[in-house]
Amino acid sequence: MMRTRPLKVALLGCGVVGSEVARIMTTHADDLAARIGAPVELAGVAVRRPSKVREGIDPALVTTDATALVERGDIDVVIEVIGGIEPARTLITTAFEHGASVVSANKALLAQDGPALHAAAERHGRDLYYEAAVAGAIPLVRPLRESLAGDKVNRVLGIVNGTTNFILDRMDTSGAGYSEALDEATALGYAEADPTADVEGFDAAAKAAILAGIAFHTRVGIGEVHREGITEVTAADIASARRMGCTVKLLAICERAADGRSVTARVHPAMIPLSHPLASVREAYNAVFVEAEAAGQLMFYGPGAGGSPTASAVLGDLVAVCRNKLGETTGPGESAYTRLPVSPMGEVVTRYHISLDVADKPGVLAQVATVFAESGVSIDTVRQQSRQDPDGEASLVVVTHRAPDAALSGTVEALRKLDTVRGVASIMRVEGE
């Protein structure tokens, strides 16, 4: 039997995502009510610019006083889509204190202060849901947190930033340089006016911290995620990957150590074989592989950003939280019982693709091979090509076997000191094999 008294929802933020959340709440009100077991009512919308016309939203609901809105006491659920650390953090904790559960899309805040927010939610007996914080419309948080709760997840590998994937895809398919591809992404609305959070890997690193924490039942701070962006990826890197039968993607990789005693989380560009399913993820789409002990390999794919896809994830959480509210219960909170340490990047076992500019003369390859041997790094393949140029230079490309990242980094530094090495043209990790 459906309850007639509505559940009241406060919306913090009414930009691209917030306005779409409000629209769907209005147009799908009957369906949402049927699925929840009670109607939901948009009780207030906190914004920065109240004078802006917001189609479909009653101006009487709009306020600039977000604090007063979450302090009302009659709000059942607060949806936070304003982003950033403050005032979002304070508003969320205030909402818990005044009886509301929270649905958030704020990856930066959750990556930085997730444990404290979970503790606040538990202290007040409220829910904290955040499916939209990781991969837009792709259901990923709930499968990890609930569907795979009885399994042991060993690895999460994926593309979790649509902007960088669009840029790298354009560089691969059209031969464009980084700047040209970024300009196109900006013109199409995939990149912000300031794209730093995306192209330098901050966005993906925040998502990796959240995913690693959920997958491995431990706390992973944003500062413990190794981060590299795509600004140094060149057209030559893309071409070199093609010659290897690979493409370049910005990957978020979260792994449990083979002995199960530690975890790692990292974000960086990597070459992956064209035969790998992630290689076919095009434009601004996201895709994530989850490897679990019993379930095996699972792949989640779909649009990772945008108003409608992100709103879909927000509203899925809203339905779940409202159902919990009616049942006078809460969903799963933080699970960090394993307390596994996070290993530094230097201990991660990886493969390298190294492109060197070397003197075109006998003995160079032997010198380079000696450096690798002295560093304890095994070579998988090597290719040398003369350029027929007046400077007498050649290109030497080395692909290594797997070795600790610190050993590979040390190898590169040793190579730079060789008189016959004129420069290191590019260095990139190789994954997916």
Side-chain angles (χ1 to χ4, degrees):
M1 186 175 184
M2 183 177 293
R3 191 180 85 166
T4 57
R5 184 171 66 83
L7 293 162
K8 294 188 176 183
V9 178
L11 179 61
L12 307 183
C14 197
V16 173
V17 176
S19 59
E20 192 66 8
V21 168
R23 183 191 68 79
I24 296 174
M25 282 186 64
T26 301
T27 58
H28 294 180
D30 291 342
D31 286 333
L32 290 172
R35 294 165 191 173
I36 292 168
V40 287
E41 173 189 319
L42 189 60
V45 182
V47 300
R48 290 180 182 176
R49 297 185 297 275
S51 59
K52 181 179 177 180
V53 176
R54 294 173 172 86
E55 187 176 347
I57 296 177
D58 183 352
L61 297 178
V62 176
T63 177
T64 57
D65 194 343
T67 300
L69 180 59
V70 299
E71 287 181 343
R72 276 175 39 172
D74 65 336
I75 299 297
D76 295 291
V77 183
V78 169
I79 297 175
E80 183 271 310
V81 288
I82 56 178
I85 306 302
E86 287 292 357
R89 174 171 50 198
T90 299
L91 291 170
I92 288 174
T93 55
T94 301
F96 292 145
E97 292 166 1
H98 287 78
S101 290
V102 173
V103 173
S104 176
N106 195 332
K107 51 190 167 284
L109 177 59
L110 288 159
Q112 177 175 303
D113 292 320
L117 294 175
H118 275 293
E122 183 177 1
R123 187 163 58 250
H124 295 285
R126 308 301 168 198
D127 272 324
L128 174 62
Y129 276 51
Y130 44 90
E131 185 68 69
V134 174
I138 304 173
L140 189 56
V141 171
R142 193 171 290 119
L144 283 173
R145 195 159 68 165
E146 299 179 33
S147 303
L148 294 173
D151 207 339
K152 181 181 180 182
V153 175
N154 291 317
R155 193 170 193 237
V156 180
L157 164 74
I159 298 163
V160 295
N161 182 273
T163 301
T164 52
N165 199 57
F166 179 89
I167 292 170
L168 292 172
D169 181 53
R170 279 293 184 268
M171 292 176 71
D172 186 27
T173 57
S174 71
Y178 168 78
S179 296
E180 185 181 352
L182 173 59
D183 289 343
E184 184 178 356
T186 304
L188 291 172
Y190 292 129
E192 301 286 346
D194 179 2
T196 303
D198 293 320
V199 299
E200 293 291 357
F202 290 101
D203 174 88
K207 294 171 180 176
I210 295 169
L211 289 173
I214 299 171
F216 307 134
H217 302 276
T218 194
R219 288 179 176 175
V220 178
I222 184 64
E224 296 174 297
V225 180
H226 175 81
R227 176 191 56 79
E228 299 172 31
I230 65 167
T231 55
E232 302 300 319
V233 177
T234 66
D237 292 327
I238 302 293
S240 187
R242 274 285 172 188
R243 286 193 290 271
M244 284 181 59
C246 293
T247 189
V248 177
K249 299 291 185 182
L250 182 73
L251 298 180
I253 306 170
C254 311
E255 294 177 303
R256 189 191 300 268
D259 62 8
R261 296 179 181 177
S262 64
V263 299
T264 59
R266 51 194 166 108
V267 168
H268 55 73
M271 294 182 180
I272 58 173
L274 293 174
S275 58
H276 194 284
L278 289 179
S280 62
V281 178
R282 303 287 308 280
E283 300 197 337
Y285 277 76
N286 285 187
V288 178
F289 263 93
V290 176
E291 298 177 10
E293 204 164 84
Q297 286 192 339
L298 308 171
M299 183 173 175
F300 301 84
Y301 170 84
S308 293
T310 306
S312 172
V314 168
L315 288 160
D317 280 349
L318 175 64
V319 170
V321 169
C322 286
R323 286 171 175 170
N324 291 343
K325 195 86 173 180
L326 291 177
E328 298 182 347
T329 185
T330 56
E334 183 189 32
S335 175
Y337 72 93
T338 62
R339 296 182 176 85
L340 295 172
V342 182
S343 298
M345 186 63 194
E347 297 179 10
V348 175
V349 177
T350 63
R351 299 180 66 204
Y352 266 31
H353 172 282
I354 305 169
S355 180
L356 305 171
D357 296 327
V358 300
D360 189 8
K361 62 182 183 181
V364 173
L365 182 56
Q367 288 182 346
V368 169
T370 297
V371 169
F372 277 92
E374 291 175 346
S375 301
V377 177
S378 177
I379 295 175
D380 182 14
T381 62
V382 61
R383 183 180 74 251
Q384 183 171 347
Q385 182 175 357
S386 175
R387 297 178 182 168
Q388 303 295 320
D389 63 20
D391 295 327
E393 285 191 0
S395 296
L396 183 65
V397 176
V398 178
V399 179
T400 72
H401 284 293
R402 291 170 64 83
D405 199 81
L408 290 163
S409 298
T411 302
V412 173
E413 291 307 308
L415 289 170
R416 295 183 193 274
K417 297 176 182 178
L418 291 178
D419 293 337
T420 51
V421 174
R422 307 287 173 78
V424 179
S426 70
I427 308 166
M428 192 168 293
R429 296 176 184 87
V430 181
E431 297 287 343
E433 295 182 336

